[in-house]
Amino acid sequence: MTVTETMPNEAIASLTPRELSECDPAPLLVDVRSAVEFRSGHAPGARNLSLLRIVMGVGFGWRWLLPDWFKVQKREEAIALICLTAHRSPIAAQQLQRAGFQQVINIAGGMMSWQKAGLPTVKGAANP
């Protein structure tokens, strides 16, 4: 599975959790849930950046709210977004697309679908 490029104002690409797990190379996976939700169980290798911080940091330009790893993320590299049920991740995807990210992917069904697919999860904080 490969990731396709999207341009601003185009539809956000969507992958199922299984399709994401088959991507090579795998895009950066960002979990946009709260830190508490993230710690309760997330996809291996996912980074946590809540929707609120994305909206404030990217949408309003308050970059000081964004973690260093996000600030250096290249706009042309693929980034996939996941939440619990795919209600918050499309909002975050639109914010990133407007900010110039060229390969934005929404994970359909969120962590609920991830768990239904039997994919592994880990607990605890994982952001360096």
Side-chain angles (χ1 to χ4, degrees):
M1 175 84 30
T2 59
V3 177
T4 57
E5 187 171 322
T6 59
M7 297 304 290
N9 301 321
E10 288 186 13
I12 304 292
S14 182
L15 293 176
T16 67
R18 180 73 59 199
E19 290 170 332
L20 176 70
S21 72
E22 296 169 357
C23 283
D24 187 28
L28 171 66
L29 180 59
V30 177
D31 191 317
V32 301
R33 297 177 298 158
S34 71
V36 171
E37 290 174 291
F38 182 81
R39 284 191 300 270
S40 72
H42 57 272
R47 299 221 175 193
N48 184 224
L49 181 57
S50 72
L51 174 60
L52 179 60
R53 288 178 70 190
I54 290 172
V55 169
M56 301 304 278
V58 174
F60 290 120
W62 296 353
R63 290 186 49 82
W64 56 270
L65 287 171
L66 300 170
D68 290 338
W69 63 263
F70 184 80
K71 291 177 189 174
V72 298
Q73 179 68 26
K74 292 182 171 69
R75 300 290 195 260
E76 63 275 359
E77 291 179 358
I79 187 167
L81 303 167
I82 192 167
C83 62
L84 182 63
T85 61
H87 284 98
R88 287 173 277 186
S89 54
I91 297 167
Q94 289 175 341
Q95 289 291 318
L96 295 186
Q97 194 177 55
R98 285 186 204 124
F101 284 85
Q102 299 168 15
Q103 297 184 66
V104 182
I105 304 151
N106 179 56
I107 303 306
M111 284 302 296
M112 297 296 286
S113 290
W114 185 279
Q115 291 169 338
K116 269 188 177 178
L119 295 169
T121 61
V122 294
K123 292 187 179 198
N127 286 347

